Amino acid sequence: MASDPLQDGLQEDDILELGVCVLDGDDVSTSGGTRALDAQRLRAAVCALQSQGLKVLVVGRRDFEPLLTSSEMVVSPAATEPLDVSRLHCIQCVNADTLVDLLKAAFDYRCWFITNGNVAGLLSDWRLPGLRQSWLRRVLKDFHVSFEFDARGSFNVALPSSVREHLGGRRPPRPPPRGGGGRGRP
């Protein structure tokens, strides 16, 4: 039986876009600032989310769109799905703290968000307006999701149960293989 998010203290319009998520591009691409920028990690994360049927908003201090969509980007062998630019939107931060912009995007789009950053620290931070703080209190438990990369470089995230139920097998069809060559069935 599907759980009713409204029974968990959420308001009816807290989360409207279960098929959309906001991804912390800075956190994913630099392992929370512990490594140099790695565009392959970010691309792997976006492709993994899109393969689940999601539209992805990437928020970061830099404009990630040219980096992610470049034809010169070498696709990692771990990548199993191509990047779909029609289901990608990049948002460049206006604040020094990516989390402030990440939460603004999630609030504006009424969707869930992925970061390993401490968003709970913003519950009483003056940089987050009161309406967003109230919203964050209600959605933090169920719609803030952390991520990890395994030893092979694959992006792993546990989708919120309501998102899994929403997607439920409605994944987009796989695009045809590139190149068109090879041996196919008659």
Side-chain angles (χ1 to χ4, degrees):
M1 179 173 181
S3 66
D4 182 3
L6 296 179
Q7 292 178 353
D8 297 331
L10 293 174
Q11 294 179 1
E12 190 170 341
D13 66 345
D14 278 342
I15 300 293
L16 298 176
E17 295 291 343
L18 294 174
V20 176
C21 67
V22 179
L23 179 65
D24 185 337
D26 292 331
D27 193 19
V28 170
S29 66
T30 66
S31 294
T34 62
R35 62 177 15 193
L37 175 86
D38 185 344
Q40 289 294 354
R41 286 172 56 93
L42 184 55
R43 186 180 179 98
V46 171
C47 290
L49 293 166
Q50 288 182 342
S51 75
Q52 296 293 315
L54 296 163
K55 295 174 184 158
V56 183
L57 298 153
V58 178
V59 174
R61 287 187 293 269
R62 69 174 346 150
D63 181 7
F64 284 114
E65 188 165 356
L67 199 62
L68 287 170
T69 61
S70 169
S71 61
E72 296 175 12
M73 166 80 72
V74 176
V75 179
S76 161
T80 58
E81 301 288 334
L83 186 130
D84 181 350
V85 295
S86 72
R87 293 185 297 130
L88 170 68
H89 180 62
C90 296
I91 301 170
Q92 192 167 359
C93 293
V94 294
N95 294 286
D97 185 345
T98 304
L99 293 178
V100 173
D101 290 283
L102 175 108
L103 292 174
K104 178 185 184 330
F107 177 80
D108 289 349
Y109 280 85
R110 295 296 198 263
C111 64
W112 56 286
F113 50 97
I114 304 169
T115 182
N116 288 344
N118 179 19
V119 293
L122 292 172
L123 284 169
S124 59
D125 190 306
W126 68 272
R127 296 172 299 162
L128 203 64
L131 191 58
R132 259 183 246 148
Q133 287 179 9
S134 298
W135 171 82
L136 181 57
R137 275 187 195 86
R138 293 189 303 271
V139 303
L140 184 61
K141 182 179 80 149
D142 296 315
F143 294 104
H144 168 218
V145 178
S146 58
F147 67 89
E148 65 182 18
F149 283 88
D150 65 21
R152 293 185 340 234
S154 297
F155 179 78
N156 297 303
V157 63
L159 299 178
S161 60
S162 55
V163 172
R164 283 193 315 272
E165 290 170 14
H166 172 77
L167 295 174
R170 295 183 342 174
R171 293 186 181 154
R174 286 180 170 237
R178 292 185 203 168
R183 302 161 106 163
R185 294 185 198 172

